[in-house]
Amino acid sequence: MLEALGWNDRRAQEFRPYAADGLAPGRLVAEHRTHYQVATEQAERSATITGRFRSEAGQRTDLPGVGDFVALRLSAGDGPSLIEAILPRTSALVRKAAGETRPQLVAANVDYIFIVMSLDGDFNLQRLERYLALAAESGAAPIVVINKADIAHIAAETTDRVADVAPGTPMHIVSARSTGGIAELQRYFDGNRTIALVGSSGAGKSTMTNQLLGQTLQRTQEVRSHDSRGRHTTTHRQLFIRPQGGAIIDTPGMRGLELWEPSKRVETDFDDIDTLAAQCRFRNCRHETEPGCAVRAAIASGDLDAGRLAQFARYTTI
Ligand SMILES: Nc1nc2c(ncn2[C@@H]2O[C@H](COP(=O)(O)OP(=O)(O)OP(=O)(O)O)[C@@H](O)[C@H]2O)c(=O)[nH]1
Ligand SMILES: [Mg+2]
Ligand SMILES: [Zn+2]
């Protein structure tokens, strides 16, 4: 069981002192408001952290997150087990939401990040660039997955532009709904690897999760027909164990990531700016003083609120 989750000799070595202390190994599969869910050799356990663990954590990212390998003090009765330690992370997918100074751990110990974009209204190279930057900082390898190949033909020019933005990054064109091309993605699980899916709401991450697992475990929902935007169906990150080995982490589309903290909810989808930026003279325009900047032109003409650009500028990671 733990092996399928990515447990190996190195992990066993790291775990030795905890084993000597009577702790059990596990992998954190979900984070809820009041508790965590942890997969162990026997079963899934609900778990919490000790007050000391919480007070010793310097940053929010020092707390356990989805994908972490942890050392658990198993509860004898019905109560939750206690997470006493986190094993060293091999990678950490971290994002900083707009207007927030504290970074948030999206997923830990991820080998591949599938950046899912769909061939409806979702396709957006600027957003791809932000996801690539996020992946580059994480230590996991990005894979571009272009979904919904059944509804639109992808022009060679489009794949060339993706290759420009993401040089050397593998690209797959698939249809999660009709399963086209999904089989070629299964090899990323070889060696019990962990894949995290990121991308905007409605891109088809949960549909793909179900296909890759061969089971319908995640709920999916139609996108809005007038603008192809998703409905933020997935509301929390969850790690699933693939029966044949390997793990997959489905995440909520961008804005959904903020939902767990409603008071701090900030608009983080910059489609308005992205659309304008596509018309800037320079592809790497920072919308500061560059000539031919369509974003500043829209602010000057009153079509775009200047506050939106400020918000966008603060939004450093994605
Ligand atoms: N035509 C077509 N539709 C697809 C494909 N993949 C997913 N969809 C549809 O797109 C809609 C959104 O899919 P989801 O899997 O819920 O999208 P998501 O990325 O998980 O969205 P959030 O959970 O909101 O972040 C659903 O109606 C899916 O059936 C595909 O390959 N082709
Ligand atoms: Mg989803
Ligand atoms: Zn510009």
Side-chain angles (χ1 to χ4, degrees):
M1 170 79 161
L2 275 177
E3 210 159 88
L5 279 170
W7 192 257
N8 53 29
D9 290 348
R10 216 191 69 208
R11 289 300 185 192
Q13 187 124 11
E14 289 168 355
F15 197 74
R16 213 161 277 163
Y18 302 112
D21 194 16
L23 300 181
R27 192 164 190 196
L28 204 145
V29 298
E31 193 181 327
H32 301 294
R33 217 171 270 278
T34 56
H35 66 281
Y36 301 101
Q37 257 170 278
V38 179
T40 71
E41 262 157 322
Q42 280 84 36
E44 251 179 46
R45 299 279 191 142
S46 79
T48 55
I49 50 174
T50 60
R52 194 172 123 216
F53 195 129
R54 194 180 298 278
S55 62
E56 283 176 358
Q59 298 186 31
R60 190 158 59 150
T61 49
D62 294 340
L63 294 173
V66 172
D68 268 328
F69 286 104
V70 297
L72 272 188
R73 177 82 58 197
L74 295 177
S75 71
D78 286 343
S81 300
L82 279 182
I83 296 173
E84 295 203 351
I86 303 174
L87 298 192
R89 291 172 181 151
T90 53
S91 69
L93 182 56
V94 171
R95 74 192 289 271
K96 209 170 93 188
E100 266 193 57
T101 49
R102 300 188 310 160
Q104 181 188 3
L105 178 73
V106 177
N109 304 311
V110 171
D111 298 294
Y112 298 108
I113 296 172
F114 283 8
I115 302 171
V116 183
M117 293 202 299
S118 62
L119 281 172
D120 49 18
D122 179 57
F123 195 83
N124 184 313
L125 289 171
Q126 311 250 346
R127 194 194 298 125
L128 172 61
E129 280 183 329
R130 295 200 292 273
Y131 275 119
L132 286 166
L134 176 89
E137 283 179 23
S138 74
I143 311 289
V144 177
V145 181
I146 298 173
N147 189 31
K148 309 198 186 181
D150 56 301
I151 56 170
H153 174 72
I154 183 161
E157 187 202 320
T158 309
T159 55
D160 285 353
R161 278 158 65 216
V162 171
D164 270 357
V165 170
T169 306
M171 171 175 31
H172 298 269
I173 299 162
V174 306
S175 170
R177 190 182 262 178
S178 65
T179 75
I182 292 296
E184 74 192 46
L185 299 179
Q186 299 281 6
R187 69 180 169 81
Y188 288 105
F189 291 108
D190 288 355
N192 298 324
R193 304 278 183 195
T194 298
I195 294 170
L197 302 186
V198 299
S200 29
S201 178
K205 300 176 296 298
S206 298
T207 308
M208 206 171 284
T209 298
N210 291 337
Q211 292 291 359
L212 289 168
L213 290 168
Q215 299 175 67
T216 303
L217 297 178
Q218 282 291 70
R219 202 165 76 85
T220 65
Q221 207 175 184
E222 289 296 324
V223 297
R224 301 195 309 214
S225 57
H226 63 284
D227 61 2
S228 308
R229 285 239 198 166
R231 299 169 192 274
H232 298 288
T233 309
T234 306
T235 53
H236 67 276
R237 302 178 288 281
Q238 174 110 29
L239 182 147
F240 297 95
I241 302 154
R242 187 164 158 272
Q244 312 92 305
I248 185 161
I249 300 173
D250 188 16
T251 70
M254 280 205 266
R255 275 183 297 169
L257 273 174
E258 257 75 53
L259 290 175
W260 64 282
E261 224 175 20
S263 63
K264 291 217 182 122
R265 189 162 164 195
V266 183
E267 181 87 8
T268 54
D269 216 341
F270 293 104
D271 283 6
D272 48 353
I273 292 182
D274 289 341
T275 305
L276 289 163
Q279 289 148 42
C280 292
R281 186 176 307 163
F282 302 108
R283 215 201 58 203
N284 59 356
C285 183
R286 302 168 62 90
H287 325 306
E288 285 165 3
T289 54
E290 294 87 345
C293 175
V295 175
R296 296 211 74 88
I299 291 172
S301 69
D303 286 343
L304 179 74
D305 183 67
R308 282 291 288 157
L309 179 58
Q311 210 176 41
F312 176 78
R314 274 204 309 273
Y315 197 67
T316 50
T317 317
I318 291 184

